[in-house]
Amino acid sequence: MQPLPDGSAVPRFRTCLNHSDLMPAVTSQNIRLVSGLVLFAFAATHFLNHAVGLFSLEAMDEVQEWRLVVTRSWPGMIVLAAALLAHAVLAFTKTVQRGTWRLSSWELVQIATGFAIPLLLLPHVIETHIAHALFGVQDGYLYALALLWPKAAWIQTALLLLVWIHGCIGLHHWLKFRSWYRLVPPLLVVLAVAVPMAALMGFVVSGRSVAGLLGNPGMAEQMREVTHWPSELDAKWIALMQVSAQIAAVALLVAGVTIIVFRHVASLAAPKIAVAVTGGATVQAAVGPTLLEIVGSHGLSLQAECGGRARCGLCRVRVDEGAETLAPPGHAERAMLAELAAPVNVRLACQIRPGAPLTITRLVGGQREERVPAVDGLQAERRAVCLVHVRVRAMATIARDRLPSDLGFMMNEIFGAIGGAIEARSGRIDRFLGDGVLAVFGEEQGAEQGCRDALQAIGAMDVVMDRVNEKIAAEIGRPVELAIGAHLGDIVVGQLTLGRTSQVAVLGLGTEWPALLAELAETRGWQLAMSGGVATAAGLVDLDGAMRERLADPEQGRELDAIGVRRARDLAVVAGTPPARSV
């Protein structure tokens, strides 16, 4: 069990699953994957066979004989035919059932190549494999190259590239979530480029060789006899089948587009359900599309890098209301959530199809308004400003064993909330410190208003972290807490230039006190430790319950009055309050 911010415990998928739940299951996604791998293996060996043409036509035919032992056997033909049919049907079904066409570029390329391949592949299959089966044609490389070179060479080249691109995209987006895959990209990139290049070079060399042989009329007649070249009538039947196959492929494409348009029109007229996104809009959606498609079609954002295949886990959401109306997780979703040790109220947006009103909280990603630091071109000068050091406690716990994308999301949520509170109170983030930030207040407004703004910002951070913890505390296993130090001092503020980068920054001595105060707050279990000068300048008079200590700087040999506050939201800081005479 993992504790939530309120102390309750939420079971996680890893504890709810047994070993049998994570065994491979027969699903449409797995069938599509396995069939795609079979077809890619066939294409890769076929292209490598083309590459042998760099040596000789005889070598091509010898290698092809070994391939045909497998591919022309009854088991081989059944496996290939089943893989081709299953992959095409399942891919077509998935495409026409999409609830949105706001797709990533790789998905669009995958779909486009998937529909283009049959238009070029079917005629080639008919004039080789079907011609061999029906008319006894010996469809070796001599026959195929005589057909293709040079009049149809561009078609064959386009087909080879389309098949290879389609397969490599699918393979990459299947493997990229595995840790070992990140170690071998250079080798795989070389292979991804070398195989089609070698295949095309072998095709060109062997094609020109066959064309040279057929320039001799006697050799051309001998080739026709050896290959059992189709008769004039057989050629007409082959041409008719080729045209029919292409018409069928185009008709299937038109049918797919028609189904997509009809589904879109039907969804506009269908009853709607409300899907509320915490911190965002409430959208009205039809029943049927996945939550990921619903969110994407309404211009909102959820991270997803696997194309809705439950492989990346980036589209997970916490279902706050309506979880009981959703279908139970399927095998792929259960396995991914178990791998991430997600609470049972967390689901993958790509796998759930809302059928009733739903309220969700995005846990990874989502659009964020750009925050532009308010930095002015100040000259170097000494100013009395309030410096605030904000440190995230237990940073090691947050970062431990996290996916890079998860850690990036969590830190963006934390520092986004901190930065928003700072900038909303006229503060400026001076620098990022790894586990925290250093902020400056009062550069333009003066020290007293700067201290009031700083304490108001710190109180706002305390409040806004409640909302941040609603999103990520369950993922971490504990709420995120801050340790904050605030100090008023005379600091040099000026333009700092580093290479091509130039920005306003606080310089020199005096910047170490906020860090020491934040360290003191973390040690004592306070949320805020501020110097007495900050309290005085901000006009704080009701500090009877505050803790007080003397803080020493061993390097400078100085001491500072430190005031500890357990919860910054309890500070009564009123804008415009005159400074108190004493603290």
Side-chain angles (χ1 to χ4, degrees), residues 486-510:
H487 174 62
L488 174 63
D490 289 331
I491 307 296
V492 176
V493 181
Q495 197 78 20
L496 183 65
T497 301
L498 298 172
R500 297 182 180 180
T501 302
S502 180
Q503 69 177 66
V504 173
V506 294
L507 309 173
L509 299 177

Side-chain angles (χ1 to χ4, degrees), residues 229-486:
W229 195 270
S231 65
E232 184 176 347
L233 179 61
D234 293 341
K236 289 181 178 180
W237 277 108
I238 291 173
L240 178 62
M241 285 188 287
Q242 287 178 312
V243 172
S244 300
Q246 288 181 314
I247 292 174
V250 172
L252 187 63
L253 176 60
V254 172
V257 173
T258 303
I259 293 172
I260 291 171
V261 172
F262 177 79
R263 283 172 54 84
H264 179 68
V265 173
S267 68
L268 295 177
K272 302 295 190 293
I273 58 172
V275 177
V277 182
T278 303
T282 297
V283 300
Q284 300 296 321
V287 176
T290 66
L291 179 61
L292 181 63
E293 292 171 336
I294 291 172
V295 170
S297 64
H298 285 81
L300 302 175
S301 175
L302 275 175
Q303 288 192 27
E305 295 182 1
C306 66
R309 294 168 174 82
R311 293 175 188 160
C312 65
L314 297 178
C315 68
R316 63 186 184 274
V317 297
R318 188 180 69 236
V319 182
D320 300 316
E321 297 179 11
E324 68 281 356
T325 66
L326 298 173
H331 173 270
E333 185 180 7
R334 293 200 313 272
M336 175 52 63
L337 293 174
E339 181 179 339
L340 297 171
V344 293
N345 61 341
V346 170
R347 300 291 301 270
L348 298 184
C350 67
Q351 300 298 305
I352 57 177
R353 298 180 183 272
L358 211 61
T359 300
I360 60 138
T361 297
R362 290 174 286 189
L363 296 180
V364 181
Q367 292 176 334
R368 181 187 303 281
E369 295 180 359
E370 293 186 359
R371 297 184 174 92
V372 182
V375 178
D376 299 321
L378 300 176
Q379 298 298 320
E381 60 184 31
R382 187 172 295 278
R383 293 190 176 188
V385 295
C386 183
L387 299 180
V388 176
H389 183 114
V390 184
R391 176 183 297 171
V392 179
R393 297 189 185 192
M395 188 66 183
T397 301
I398 297 175
R400 185 182 300 119
D401 299 329
R402 301 287 171 197
L403 294 174
S405 56
D406 288 356
L407 181 60
F409 164 71
M410 291 177 182
M411 300 315 295
N412 275 318
E413 288 292 324
I414 295 169
F415 289 123
I418 293 171
I422 292 170
E423 293 168 6
R425 274 77 180 178
S426 304
R428 175 177 64 82
I429 297 177
D430 186 82
R431 67 194 68 168
F432 176 71
L433 303 170
D435 63 346
V437 296
L438 178 67
V440 187
F441 293 83
E443 289 177 313
E444 300 293 340
Q445 301 85 356
E448 295 172 0
Q449 185 60 45
C451 288
R452 287 193 289 270
D453 290 339
L455 293 181
Q456 288 177 339
I458 294 169
M461 291 178 206
D462 185 15
V463 174
V464 77
M465 285 305 297
D466 290 346
R467 293 195 291 272
V468 173
N469 280 317
E470 288 177 3
K471 285 188 177 182
I472 66 176
E475 292 285 313
I476 300 172
R478 56 175 294 173
V480 178
E481 298 178 341
L482 304 178
I484 306 170

